[in-house]
């Protein structure tokens, strides 16, 4: 892989101030400016209503300056009254005016204060609430899946994993684009905006406590750096990375990736298969599309299957995982199935198979 000039780019990136932030999915709410504008209009409406009430009963009020209350005086009185200033230069003198102050203007004053104070408190406490929400999210996040890069590959990977039963709350997306993270939020995923090659950004995604890490970056050299950083922070997580060029796959494995998918080669092989046998291509497309038709799953051997041969199992067994080896269904080295084996099988999708393979409920003996 060509990494020429990368050191210089890394130095330039370090010189720049790195900014990152965590974004949690939330309900669609009204824009802040629109909320403030709406509340200002409500406050003005209360002010106008109060002034009209005073103006309609202006004979019941006394102005110390000239003894009469006009429309301007009514607005002036409404303003100083609702703001609880109360200079006392304009006062209600008649019984009707005083009753109006008691039963109408006083409740309007309270409503006016609620609007202003409520807006102020909401602005002041928004950051505190967001910090509390982030801290609570971090404390509850365990064994989650971190997806680095939410382009076509990353989005498809998340959809496939979630189709097997993973909850959106257990997915954290890391991407340098704020708009991409917002798109992930709209789907229910938490997101971190930042450069995933930096350990502080990955720590924001709690990668050190993740169970699975999917690396789907746009560049192969970026994938290598992310894999190295993620493996350094989490020694036990399962890391799956995608690369464009076949020659970089081995470098990804040496960097700590458990599995490497060559996207260009895989797409090319599927194209070639579809040309030679369109029906075989359709079957392969169906197998890699989780949640519909036929699914390729991995599950443990159950007690009733111990001692059987792969062909004798009810499910269609493709391979047997024994230790660190993946053996074909017809491999003579398999012999009889063992309780510690895992089976890779093809199953028809039903509501009972819509769960993660490693947590799939197994039939009891």
């Amino acid at each position: 892989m060509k990494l020429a000039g990368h050191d210089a780019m890394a130095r330039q990136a370090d010189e720049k101030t790195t900014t990152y932030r965590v974004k949690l999915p939330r309900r669609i709410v009204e824009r802040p400016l629109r909320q403030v504008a709406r509340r200002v209009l409500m406050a003005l409406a209360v002010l106008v209503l109060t002034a009209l009430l005073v103006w309609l009963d202006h004979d019941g009020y006394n102005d110390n300056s000239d003894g009469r209350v006009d429309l301007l005086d009514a607005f002036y009185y409404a303003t100083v009254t609702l703001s609880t200033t109360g200079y006392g230069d304009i006062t209600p003198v008649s019984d009707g005016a005083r009753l109006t102050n008691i039963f109408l203007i006083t409740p309007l004053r309270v409503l006016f204060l609620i609007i202003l104070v409520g807006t102020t408190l909401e602005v002041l406490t928004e950051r505190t609430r967001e910090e509390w929400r982030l801290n609570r999210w971090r404390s509850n996040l365990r064994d989650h899946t971190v997806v680095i890069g939410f382009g076509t590959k990353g989005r498809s990977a998340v959809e496939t994993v979630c189709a097997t039963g993973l909850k959106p709350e257990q997915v954290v997306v890391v991407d340098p684009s704020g708009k991409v993270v917002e798109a992930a939020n709209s789907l229910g995923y938490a997101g971190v905006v930042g450069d995933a090659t930096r350990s502080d950004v990955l720590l924001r995604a709690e990668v050190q406590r993740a169970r699975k890490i999917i690396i789907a970056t746009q560049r192969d050299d970026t994938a290598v750096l992310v894999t190295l950083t993620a493996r350094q922070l989490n020694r036990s997580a399962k890391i799956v990375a995608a690369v464009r060029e076949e020659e970089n796959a081995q470098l990804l494995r040496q960097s700590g990736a458990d599995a490497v998918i060559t996207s260009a080669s895989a797409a090319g092989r599927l194209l070639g298969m579809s040309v030679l046998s369109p029906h075989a291509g359709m079957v392969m497309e169906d197998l890699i599309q989780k949640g519909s038709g036929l699914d390729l799953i991995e599950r443990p051997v159950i007690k009733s299957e111990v001692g059987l041969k792969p062909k004798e199992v009810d499910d269609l067994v493709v391979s047997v995982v024994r230790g660190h080896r993946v053996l074909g269904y017809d491999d003579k080295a398999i012999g009889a199935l063992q309780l510690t084996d895992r089976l890779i099988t093809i199953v028809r999708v039903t509501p009972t198979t819509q769960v993660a393979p490693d947590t799939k409920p197994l039939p009891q003996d």
Side-chain angles (χ1 to χ4, degrees):
M1 180 181 61
K2 295 181 179 180
L3 295 174
H6 179 73
D7 292 339
M9 294 173 60
R11 286 194 298 269
Q12 293 176 0
D14 289 338
E15 293 174 357
K16 298 179 180 180
T17 302
T18 303
T19 59
Y20 51 82
R21 59 188 183 278
V22 179
K23 288 187 175 183
L24 300 181
R26 62 176 63 188
R27 296 177 181 177
I28 298 176
V29 296
E30 197 174 8
R31 293 181 178 179
L33 291 179
R34 185 175 298 176
Q35 286 185 351
V36 173
R38 181 170 56 85
R39 295 187 182 187
V40 169
L41 290 177
M42 291 174 60
L44 290 176
V46 172
L47 177 63
V48 171
L49 178 59
T50 304
L52 290 178
L53 290 174
V54 175
W55 168 247
L56 292 176
D57 193 21
H58 60 277
D59 292 335
Y61 292 82
N62 179 54
D63 188 352
N64 293 338
S65 61
D66 57 9
R68 48 188 294 273
V69 176
D70 56 16
L71 184 60
L72 178 60
D73 293 330
F75 273 96
Y76 167 76
Y77 176 79
T79 302
V80 297
T81 300
L82 294 180
S83 62
T84 68
T85 304
Y87 293 117
D89 49 351
I90 299 179
T91 56
V93 293
S94 69
D95 292 341
R98 291 178 177 179
L99 288 174
T100 301
N101 269 263
I102 294 173
F103 294 106
L104 292 180
I105 295 181
T106 297
L108 289 175
R109 181 190 300 118
V110 174
L111 178 61
F112 186 83
L113 292 176
I114 289 176
I115 293 173
L116 294 184
V117 175
T119 302
T120 303
L121 289 177
E122 183 172 352
V123 172
L124 293 177
T125 59
E126 179 65 26
R127 184 174 181 83
T128 303
R129 287 188 299 177
E130 188 66 20
E131 287 293 333
W132 176 84
R133 190 168 177 236
L134 285 175
N135 292 332
R136 184 169 177 268
W137 169 74
R138 287 196 182 95
S139 63
N140 295 332
L141 197 61
R142 295 287 190 283
D143 296 331
H144 56 291
T145 299
V146 177
V147 181
I148 300 170
F150 202 63
T152 303
K153 291 181 294 185
R155 188 187 298 265
S156 299
V158 174
E159 290 175 353
T160 300
V161 175
C162 289
T164 62
L166 184 68
K167 296 180 179 179
E169 295 81 7
Q170 286 296 105
V171 176
V172 181
V173 173
V174 181
D175 198 280
S177 172
K179 292 183 178 180
V180 171
V181 172
E182 288 178 1
N185 289 160
S186 66
L187 298 175
Y189 311 130
V192 178
V193 181
D195 183 3
T197 61
R198 301 182 65 91
S199 59
D200 52 355
V201 175
L202 292 182
L203 288 173
R204 288 277 178 170
E206 299 296 325
V207 74
Q208 72 276 14
R209 295 188 293 187
R211 187 176 184 180
K212 301 172 184 175
I213 302 173
I214 300 174
I215 300 175
T217 57
Q218 298 297 325
R219 294 170 56 93
D220 289 0
D221 54 353
T222 304
V224 172
L225 292 176
V226 173
T227 302
L228 286 169
T229 307
R231 181 54 75 194
Q232 182 183 17
L233 295 174
N234 191 327
R235 298 291 183 180
S236 60
K238 183 176 183 180
I239 299 179
V240 179
V243 294
R244 292 178 177 272
E245 302 297 335
E246 184 72 35
E247 62 182 9
N248 298 327
Q250 185 60 30
L251 184 57
L252 261 295
R253 294 188 182 93
Q254 293 175 356
S255 301
D258 296 294
V260 180
I261 306 299
T262 307
S263 56
S265 299
R269 284 191 288 269
L270 186 58
L271 285 173
M273 179 182 294
S274 299
V275 169
L276 296 175
S277 176
H279 296 94
M282 291 175 59
V283 173
M284 287 299 301
E285 182 71 18
D286 186 19
L287 287 175
I288 63 178
Q289 184 176 357
K290 283 284 185 180
S292 63
L294 299 175
D295 272 1
L296 192 66
I297 67 169
E298 179 180 340
R299 67 169 179 84
V301 172
I302 60 177
K303 292 182 180 179
S304 61
E305 296 171 341
V306 174
L308 299 179
K309 295 184 179 298
K311 294 181 180 180
E312 299 173 343
V313 177
D314 292 337
D315 293 339
L316 180 59
V317 178
V318 178
S319 298
V320 176
V321 181
R322 178 167 294 170
H324 297 287
R325 296 185 301 165
V326 180
L327 306 173
Y329 72 95
D330 57 348
D331 195 320
K332 295 182 179 179
I334 297 176
L337 294 177
Q338 303 173 9
L339 190 60
T340 56
D341 292 339
R342 296 184 67 86
L343 302 179
I344 298 178
T345 65
I346 296 177
V347 299
R348 173 70 62 179
V349 175
T350 63
T352 58
T353 58
Q354 295 292 317
V355 294
D358 50 1
T359 59
K360 178 184 177 183
L362 300 175
Q364 302 296 324
D365 293 340

